Amino acid sequence: MSEHILITGGTGLIGRTLITALEKQYAMTVVTRDPSRAKRLLGEQVNCITSEELTSVDKFDAIINLAGEPIADKRWSDAQKERICNSRWKITQQLVDLINTSSNAPSVFVSGSAIGVYGRQGDTVVTEDFTDFHDEFSRAVCQKWENIALQANTRVCIMRTGVVLSGEGGALSKMLMPFRLGLGGPISSGKQYMAWIHIQDMVNAIQHLLSNEDAQGVYNFTSPNPNTNHFFSLALAKRLERPCIFRVPAFVIKTLMGESSDLVLYGQKVIPERLLSEGFAFTFPTLKEALADLDL
């Protein structure tokens, strides 16, 4: 019988792609607010339950925790900030509690985070050993999220994920329209770094953590080659065969997004040092390769 994996956030971009990659190898159960919708999205072969129905993790060999309200989809009102936090902290705490009271705990707990934990870092090279975090909302959300996950009494791997590039949705889909119209360009100075990862490398790296019994602790899930927003804009425009002559002023982004504009006006030059040191090979290490592969 195949191993059984529990997944939260299975209907999101990463979750859907991961389940497609794993479904022939593992039995899978997805925790979701809407099991009938999840079944339609993921297929009948995936067992779908609510968090209220999850009362034990004894039968699972691994847990992959991807749940969380999208952080950049809406302005950060106090209510939205609370949703962003609770959607991550609550389910993670539930999973940790179930692991710690289990008579047959899963052998690994792979839990989400984001490079936002570092806060804005300019052009400083940031590896997993970096500790001089900048205090801001994204840092507070991710730091508590990670701290909860690390309390689990099993092998724990934390994924600090960058901008995930996919042709099926996510951050890139929001960027495409102005570029397709020939109105795309850098944001503000364009000097802020964007640490990104191709969706296939994201999924492959999760599988690396699942199968590598020595893997433990914090991992940056980004390509080895972060780029400035200016470079990214030029590369995306070239890929779409469109001009890149407009620049979006910072005040426009701040007006549209409010405090959440921090996510695009500032950045981090993040390097996946631990994945590289463990021999993980990126299929799409450069932006040119990544964009060429995607159906845009």
Side-chain angles (χ1 to χ4, degrees):
M1 183 176 173
S2 63
E3 292 187 355
H4 198 160
I5 297 180
L6 179 71
I7 301 177
T8 70
T11 59
L13 172 64
I14 298 168
R16 295 193 311 270
T17 311
L18 180 66
I19 286 168
T20 299
L22 298 181
E23 61 187 357
K24 292 179 181 176
Q25 189 177 354
Y26 301 99
M28 281 178 287
T29 293
V30 168
V31 181
T32 175
R33 288 191 297 265
D34 188 344
S36 58
R37 174 180 173 270
K39 277 275 189 187
R40 290 195 301 273
L41 278 173
L42 303 173
E44 289 298 318
Q45 78 284 0
V46 179
N47 182 40
C48 298
I49 62 173
T50 64
S51 59
E52 289 76 20
E53 293 173 293
L54 181 65
T55 57
S56 170
V57 294
D58 287 359
K59 70 178 182 180
F60 300 110
D61 301 284
I63 300 176
I64 302 171
N65 180 30
L66 302 170
E69 172 86 6
I71 197 167
D73 279 11
K74 298 175 182 176
R75 290 174 71 93
W76 287 348
S77 63
D78 288 344
Q80 181 62 11
K81 281 186 173 182
E82 189 173 350
R83 277 191 291 272
I84 288 168
C85 292
N86 288 340
S87 65
R88 288 161 172 77
W89 300 345
K90 187 176 178 182
I91 186 65
T92 304
Q93 188 66 63
Q94 180 184 356
L95 293 169
V96 168
D97 290 344
L98 289 171
I99 289 169
N100 291 350
T101 57
S102 174
S103 59
N104 182 35
S107 61
V108 60
F109 180 38
V110 179
S111 192
S113 183
I115 59 172
V117 72
Y118 298 114
R120 63 195 72 176
Q121 293 298 339
D123 58 3
T124 301
V125 174
V126 177
T127 69
E128 291 88 350
D129 294 330
F130 189 85
T131 57
D132 189 16
F133 296 175
H134 187 276
D135 192 17
E136 53 191 284
F137 177 63
S138 62
R139 188 250 170 173
V141 175
C142 294
Q143 189 67 74
K144 183 169 178 178
W145 194 11
E146 293 183 10
N147 289 345
I148 294 169
L150 289 167
Q151 294 168 7
N153 292 331
T154 190
R155 180 167 69 88
V156 179
C157 298
I158 303 290
M159 304 176 289
R160 291 178 175 169
T161 304
V163 176
V164 180
L165 300 185
S166 168
E168 304 298 321
L172 189 57
S173 66
K174 297 180 178 67
M175 304 177 200
L176 284 176
M177 185 55 72
F179 280 90
R180 284 181 177 143
L181 295 173
L183 302 173
I187 294 172
S188 188
S189 69
K191 294 179 181 178
Q192 66 275 30
Y193 271 84
M194 290 180 63
W196 55 270
I197 185 168
H198 187 287
I199 185 66
Q200 191 58 57
D201 282 324
M202 178 83 202
V203 167
N204 291 346
I206 292 173
Q207 292 178 274
H208 168 82
L209 298 184
L210 285 177
S211 60
N212 181 359
E213 294 181 0
D214 294 326
Q216 192 163 342
V218 170
Y219 289 81
N220 289 334
F221 269 47
T222 61
S223 90
N225 298 291
N227 303 107
T228 64
N229 175 261
H230 179 77
F231 185 96
F232 190 97
S233 300
L234 289 172
L236 182 56
K238 184 174 182 180
R239 168 67 177 82
L240 295 170
E241 299 180 342
R242 296 290 189 273
C244 185
I245 55 177
F246 292 93
R247 186 176 295 274
V248 185
F251 80 86
V252 172
I253 297 297
K254 288 178 180 177
T255 301
L256 290 172
M257 298 179 66
E259 186 185 350
S260 65
S261 63
D262 289 356
L263 297 172
V264 293
L265 293 175
Y266 307 101
Q268 306 90 5
K269 190 177 182 180
V270 179
I271 303 297
E273 188 172 81
R274 293 202 62 205
L275 283 174
L276 293 172
S277 70
E278 291 177 5
F280 179 79
F282 283 83
T283 305
F284 303 101
T286 70
L287 186 59
K288 182 178 180 181
E289 291 169 301
L291 293 176
D293 177 72
L294 299 175
D295 182 12
L296 304 179

